[in-house]
Amino acid sequence: MAELIPELGPMFPGAAPFLARFLPYSPPAHAGLNQNFCDLHAFLKYLHEHSWYGYLHALLGDQSAYVLLFEGRTVTAAAASATGEQALGELLNLYEQGASLSAHPLSPHYAHVLSGIGSRAWKFNLTEDFTGLHARPTGAIFYVRGEIVATMPATLPYEGAFPAPLRPQTLILPRSLAGWAHHHYALTLRGKDALNAITGVHQNFRLQHGQGGLYFLRSLGENLTPAEYAMRSDVALHDLEPMIQDFLKTGCIKEG
């Protein structure tokens, strides 16, 4: 059986961030992207619409940032001194400063295994349903539901585990980069009419924004921020920004 288990090569051997250290070699599906001809938010939207699995690497001089995508959603990230949302923000910052971006596809299994890698490793406990990465001074093992699916000659100086969440959560941009997503909005009279099925405003709103738009507007009226709504409903944040802009423009909401 051991001969059938693939050994993956590390894409970034010797990298300091944990996530980068365990990313498998994968030829880029997209390489050399930069802000002069590719809008990053549009590219992320494209990956989301295609339920893409893989990782992004932004490189500017000696600075790097890495973001893992699962089902087209950004689920974990790492940079020199940051993980999670702050590292996602670092990738966007580097890109805006002129970084070159590449996108490397992975199998859904490998992407799921890697989705639990954050800033610290946990005590390893192999259960029959363990999905995640087991890292040791002698190498790493990829597990899916208790089964070894791959190994990699990438190490930690101690033994630890990065369990993968059952369903990886989407990273939300930090407040400094997406202030609108963390604001509270109040419904105006027009916004309340949009939620009232007997009004003409409701009919027009529903035609334009659909049931998803109605759910979103209602959640804003219940004092949820767009970031909170995105987390709860598993909607991509970049799909909500145009709706917020339109709701403000048409007078359905105002900043609370």
Side-chain angles (χ1 to χ4, degrees):
M1 282 296 291
E3 293 172 7
L4 300 176
I5 296 169
E7 181 173 85
L8 308 175
M11 187 74 182
F12 306 99
F18 290 161
L19 175 63
R21 187 177 302 192
F22 298 108
L23 291 173
Y25 173 78
S26 169
H30 307 274
L33 303 180
N34 67 64
Q35 66 163 356
N36 290 331
F37 65 91
C38 179
D39 177 79
L40 184 55
H41 293 285
F43 184 54
L44 289 171
K45 186 174 174 64
Y46 166 83
L47 296 176
H48 185 260
E49 288 168 351
H50 288 78
S51 294
W52 190 81
Y53 296 86
Y55 56 89
L56 306 179
H57 175 222
L59 179 65
L60 182 65
D62 59 357
Q63 299 179 81
S64 281
Y66 314 84
V67 174
L68 184 80
L69 278 79
F70 181 86
E71 296 174 345
R73 300 179 292 115
T74 55
V75 296
T76 189
S81 57
T83 57
E85 294 167 1
Q86 295 302 322
L88 175 59
E90 185 63 20
L91 180 127
L92 294 176
N93 280 332
L94 289 177
Y95 193 75
E96 287 172 2
Q97 291 168 37
S100 173
L101 186 80
S102 54
H104 305 258
L106 291 177
S107 74
H109 274 330
Y110 293 165
H112 193 191
V113 168
L114 295 163
S115 67
I117 298 181
S119 58
R120 59 169 291 190
W122 302 84
K123 187 176 185 303
F124 179 58
N125 178 26
L126 179 58
T127 57
E128 62 182 24
D129 61 348
F130 177 78
T131 296
L133 187 85
H134 177 203
R136 305 160 300 157
T138 54
I141 302 173
F142 287 54
Y143 282 94
V144 173
R145 291 188 292 277
E147 299 288 331
I148 296 174
V149 296
T151 61
M152 181 187 280
T155 63
L156 280 186
Y158 51 88
E159 183 180 21
F162 298 98
L166 195 61
R167 177 163 172 74
Q169 287 265 320
T170 305
L171 289 178
I172 301 299
L173 280 175
R175 186 182 299 270
S176 59
L177 287 169
W180 65 270
H182 300 274
H183 288 164
H184 288 279
Y185 299 88
L187 297 187
T188 61
L189 283 175
R190 182 177 179 81
K192 291 173 182 173
D193 282 347
L195 295 176
N196 185 343
I198 63 170
T199 66
V201 174
H202 173 85
Q203 305 304 329
N204 290 332
F205 185 93
R206 190 186 182 109
L207 274 174
Q208 184 173 358
H209 297 292
Q211 193 63 43
L214 286 167
Y215 287 145
F216 182 35
L217 184 64
R218 185 172 290 114
S219 78
L220 296 175
E222 292 166 356
N223 214 31
L224 285 186
T225 66
E228 290 166 339
Y229 177 77
M231 293 289 281
R232 291 191 189 188
S233 60
D234 208 22
V235 173
L237 194 60
H238 52 247
D239 287 341
L240 299 180
E241 187 172 13
M243 278 204 274
I244 284 287
Q245 300 299 336
D246 192 74
F247 294 175
L248 286 167
K249 192 169 71 178
T250 56
C252 288
I253 58 172
K254 60 186 180 184
E255 290 201 19

